[in-house]
Amino acid sequence: VGLKTPLCQRLGIEFPIIQAPIGGAAAPELAAAASEAGALGMLTATGGDDNSIRQRFASMRALTTRPFGVNLILHNEQRVQLETCLAEGARIVSYHWRRFEPGDPYIEEVHAAGALVLLTIGSADDARRAVDAGVDVVVAQGFEAGGHVWGSVGSLPLIPAVVDAVSPVPVVAAGGIGDGRGLAAVLVLGAQAGWLGTRFLLADESPVHPKHAQLALAATETDTVYSSLFDGDWPGAPHRTLMNSTYRAWVGAGSPPSGQRPGEGEAIGHTVEGRVILRYNVNHPTVTRVVEDDAAEAMALYAGQSVGLIHERKPARRIVQDLVTEAEIALKAMAVA
Ligand SMILES: Cc1cc2nc3c(=O)[nH]c(=O)nc-3n(C[C@H](O)[C@H](O)[C@H](O)COP(=O)(O)O)c2cc1C
């Protein structure tokens, strides 16, 4: 069985596997390890200043000569960040959290630089609009996904609906893939690659905070919750996280609206640089961001339902190899049925 899809060729990768952008955890060490393993590594540049984005690209180039992508969340203006990414030679730009109309500068500038545009969508209608606006690859994100979730449809019905809507435009499947069986499944549904966030969050190279990692490894598929709770700096945007003390206290108080929740505006800990971390902040804990375990536990512990399938941290290279082997076994087993 060969897992190669036409999108692999277009992106210049060996396997139909993309390390999803995962906020502060999508750092050069992780992204480079994913790219070196034959998948596509993704950096994030959302909200970054010129210097930090340039540094990320420089670190990435020092670690790999293979293709990689960069992600921007467009809940607020990211034009300056986009320009820096393009000036740094980005060839694959992925966006989240925006509906595009034809002629949108976020698309035209990427195309003018000869790069590809990916957009995360949550329905067949979203996908059609995205393609009409010039998006080159759609990332169909199922409701089971970790992090900020754009749509409300599960991956199983979403992917084939999106494939039917935009074929031959390539579709990438995001949400719910925890191992190679999931990768095989989305390829069977017509996706040309899997986009895995929670799995790579738990790679050895990921700067995930150890407390977040520990809770994720112990979690089952029923331990995540979908809410708009962690809305500091990004209000009204639903996301999937691990159930934690902040979530439990909020539910215990009768799930009051933003502004009236327990511990609203209180400091729960400090960043490595000594800045205060507020409860309900949108950031998730990374080793570069947070010191205290208690603070980390109370933050947004983004994770998808795929967390129930992930039982160990391992190097990105082994994640990719195991995904490929397991997917091939699953597809072979079906071929004789
Ligand atoms: C910790 C974490 C952070 C995330 N940050 C981003 C981000 O910065 N940009 C983005 O487009 N998606 C982000 N996402 C969503 C992922 O790209 C992806 O859609 C999702 O993880 C797929 O579901 P899975 O976790 O089951 O693999 C994040 C997800 C997680 C788990």
Side-chain angles (χ1 to χ4, degrees):
V1 194
L3 289 185
K4 255 211 160 80
T5 65
L7 181 63
C8 291
Q9 203 141 17
R10 194 128 165 231
L11 298 177
I13 56 177
E14 237 172 292
F15 305 116
I17 298 168
I18 300 175
Q19 166 249 309
I22 42 174
E29 293 69 26
L30 174 61
S35 287
E36 281 292 298
L40 186 74
M42 295 283 301
L43 296 174
T44 49
T46 311
D49 59 41
D50 195 64
N51 207 15
S52 72
I53 295 175
R54 286 187 193 279
Q55 262 176 22
R56 256 169 265 177
F57 275 83
S59 308
M60 192 68 188
R61 274 194 225 94
L63 293 168
T64 186
T65 54
R66 299 207 180 192
F68 62 92
V70 65
N71 169 260
L72 290 166
I73 300 180
L74 302 180
H75 71 288
N76 56 21
E77 200 57 66
Q78 301 290 329
R79 288 293 289 286
V80 177
Q81 285 78 5
L82 173 61
E83 268 149 41
T84 307
C85 292
L86 293 175
E88 284 293 317
R91 309 298 294 166
I92 299 166
V93 177
S94 117
Y95 294 126
H96 197 14
W97 230 259
R98 186 176 173 101
R99 223 166 241 127
F100 289 119
E101 299 296 333
D104 195 298
Y106 278 107
I107 295 181
E108 302 216 318
E109 281 179 31
V110 176
H111 284 165
L116 286 177
V117 179
L118 283 63
L119 176 67
T120 297
I121 52 88
S123 69
D125 191 48
D126 276 355
R128 251 181 248 110
R129 283 162 177 255
V131 168
D132 287 347
V135 168
D136 302 295
V137 178
V138 295
V139 180
Q141 188 197 37
F143 189 61
E144 53 273 69
H148 284 78
V149 184
W150 178 254
S152 54
V153 181
S155 290
L156 196 58
L158 178 66
I159 297 159
V162 171
V163 168
D164 287 348
V166 300
S167 173
V169 169
V171 175
V172 173
I177 308 170
D179 62 27
R181 295 169 297 180
L183 177 63
V186 301
L187 294 173
V188 168
L189 294 176
Q192 294 200 24
W195 173 280
L196 293 85
T198 305
R199 178 58 276 192
F200 282 102
L201 178 71
L202 296 164
D204 282 348
E205 296 88 346
S206 161
V208 60
H209 192 283
K211 190 69 192 173
H212 189 173
Q214 180 204 328
L215 293 169
L217 291 172
T220 72
E221 74 283 5
T222 59
D223 289 332
T224 72
V225 285
Y226 173 84
S227 77
S228 298
L229 197 59
F230 296 94
D231 62 354
D233 299 329
W234 188 1
H239 43 260
R240 186 175 297 283
T241 56
L242 293 176
M243 218 179 297
N244 67 352
S245 58
T246 299
Y247 183 86
R248 284 193 199 93
W250 172 66
V251 171
S255 310
S258 191
Q260 300 166 28
R261 301 168 299 188
E264 197 87 54
E266 88 185 337
I268 56 170
H270 296 88
T271 66
V272 178
E273 300 87 27
R275 265 177 293 154
V276 156
I277 299 168
L278 297 181
R279 194 176 292 283
Y280 305 115
N281 186 268
V282 70
N283 288 329
H284 59 103
T286 59
V287 287
T288 44
R289 227 180 240 155
V290 191
V291 191
E292 304 100 331
D293 269 13
D294 286 358
E297 189 281 333
M299 291 174 75
L301 302 178
Y302 299 118
Q305 294 177 339
S306 59
V307 76
L309 297 167
I310 301 164
H311 310 298
E312 55 169 352
R313 293 189 74 169
K314 52 189 178 185
R317 173 170 298 280
R318 264 202 43 225
I319 293 178
V320 172
Q321 286 170 347
D322 290 352
L323 283 167
V324 170
T325 309
E326 291 161 6
E328 285 175 347
I329 290 171
L331 291 169
K332 270 187 204 141
M334 288 299 107
V336 297

